[in-house]
Amino acid sequence: MAISSVGIVGSGIMGSGIAEVAAANGHQVVLRSRSQATADAMVVGLEKSLARQVDKGKRSEVERDEILGRVSATTDLQALADADLVIESVVEDLAIKKHLFTELDRICKEGTILATNTSTLPVVELAMETGRPDRVCGIHFFNPAPLMSLVEVVRPITASEETLAAAIAFAEACGKEPVTVKDQAGFIVNALLFPYLNNAVRLLEQGVASMEGIDTAMKGGCGFPMGPFALLDLVGLDTSLAILDALYTEFKEPNYAAVPLLRRMVAAETLGRKSGQGFYDYRK
Ligand SMILES: NC(=O)c1ccc[n+]([C@@H]2O[C@H](COP(=O)([O-])OP(=O)(O)OC[C@H]3O[C@@H](n4cnc5c(N)ncnc54)[C@H](O)[C@@H]3O)[C@@H](O)[C@H]2O)c1
């Protein structure tokens, strides 16, 4: 099950990042976006990212051109039919992902492994939408995908050893450090991280300190590279809320119950860096 071609569905923060990682490590990549405008924007974003790396002396111009030559963007899901591996990275919504897995199962060749980049949702439910549950798993990258070394390889009870081995080998071929984890909401990182992020919003709501104060405290006091509010803005508040809701649905633990301020900010479409305004303002 050697993986040389990769299909990616979704051109948001993570889909774009995973496309860059896969292409930079020698894979042919077809990225599918819902509109031609966002597909084109992904390619422009990749060009800019690679140009920055050339400017910093991290890559040669030849490498940049080779990487770009391995990536194509399309609106046609059918273009992913012959991929060895498809990773979906669309919005964190179980119904939307289930529908997508049904479509991918219909379109993709028999041997294609179908993977999800979900942060929390039950992978087994996506596997059971297909006629190949043994060839479905989670391949969970971290944000920003080109920089973060961890990949959680998520094993639903339906997956075969071969599928897991292929997913691990793919993560390693991308220069990442895979850790295998059971298909349980939040896997490792988000199960531990999100109670902390949620409680930071609770402290803010309680007026214990300002958000700048809380961010400064967690950087200076714990040595974290960024504070909780900067991190929530990077992840996206809608994605963060979806993660907390999935964790709460699974475990019913109070620490996973999203605090009202977070839910209100998502309702107001204050989503973080991607919308220009989150806890911090990125429009200036
Ligand atoms: N943001 C993070 O830090 C992070 C980290 C790891 C994993 N993830 C996971 O990656 C996935 C994508 O998250 P993101 O941060 O890239 O989100 P994003 O908001 O940047 O992008 C979401 C993508 O989903 C697409 N989309 C929205 N509705 C859709 C629909 N109905 N059908 C098909 N596509 C649709 C959007 O067009 C966009 O391309 C989610 O499952 C999320 O949990 C996110």
Side-chain angles (χ1 to χ4, degrees), residues 9-16 18 32-35 38 88-93 96-97 99-100 116-121 140-144 190 231 234-236 238-240 242-243 271 274:
V9 189
S11 59
I13 303 170
M14 292 307 293
S16 307
I18 297 167
R32 187 268 188 172
S33 191
R34 282 181 302 168
S35 77
T38 49
E88 75 70 25
S89 191
V90 303
V91 64
E92 188 78 339
D93 180 305
I96 291 171
K97 286 187 192 287
H99 178 70
L100 186 57
T116 173
N117 184 43
T118 181
S119 303
T120 34
L121 296 170
H140 184 213
F141 283 82
F142 287 78
N143 184 11
N190 287 335
L231 182 53
L234 178 74
V235 170
D238 52 343
T239 302
S240 298
I243 290 169
L271 304 182
K274 63 184 167 188

Side-chain angles (χ1 to χ4, degrees), residues 1 113 127 132-137 153-168:
M1 277 197 190
I113 293 175
R132 59 180 92 190
D134 57 318
R135 265 164 287 137
V136 175
C137 68
V153 173
V154 184
R155 169 176 222 151
I157 51 177
T158 41
S160 69
E161 291 296 336
E162 291 75 19
T163 298
L164 264 287
I168 290 166

Side-chain angles (χ1 to χ4, degrees), residues 16-77:
S16 307
I18 297 167
E20 177 174 335
V21 170
N25 289 284
H27 303 89
Q28 290 294 328
V29 173
V30 181
L31 182 133
R32 187 268 188 172
S33 191
R34 282 181 302 168
S35 77
Q36 196 56 50
T38 49
D40 295 342
M42 187 289 286
V43 175
V44 170
L46 177 59
E47 284 168 355
K48 282 187 188 157
S49 169
L50 292 171
R52 278 195 299 274
Q53 293 167 35
V54 171
D55 288 346
K56 287 182 185 162
K58 289 184 179 167
R59 283 194 196 284
S60 69
E61 292 185 358
V62 173
E63 271 182 308
R64 175 198 63 198
D65 293 345
E66 283 172 356
I67 294 168
L68 283 170
R70 284 195 284 270
V71 178
S72 62
T74 179
T75 56
D76 183 8
L77 207 57

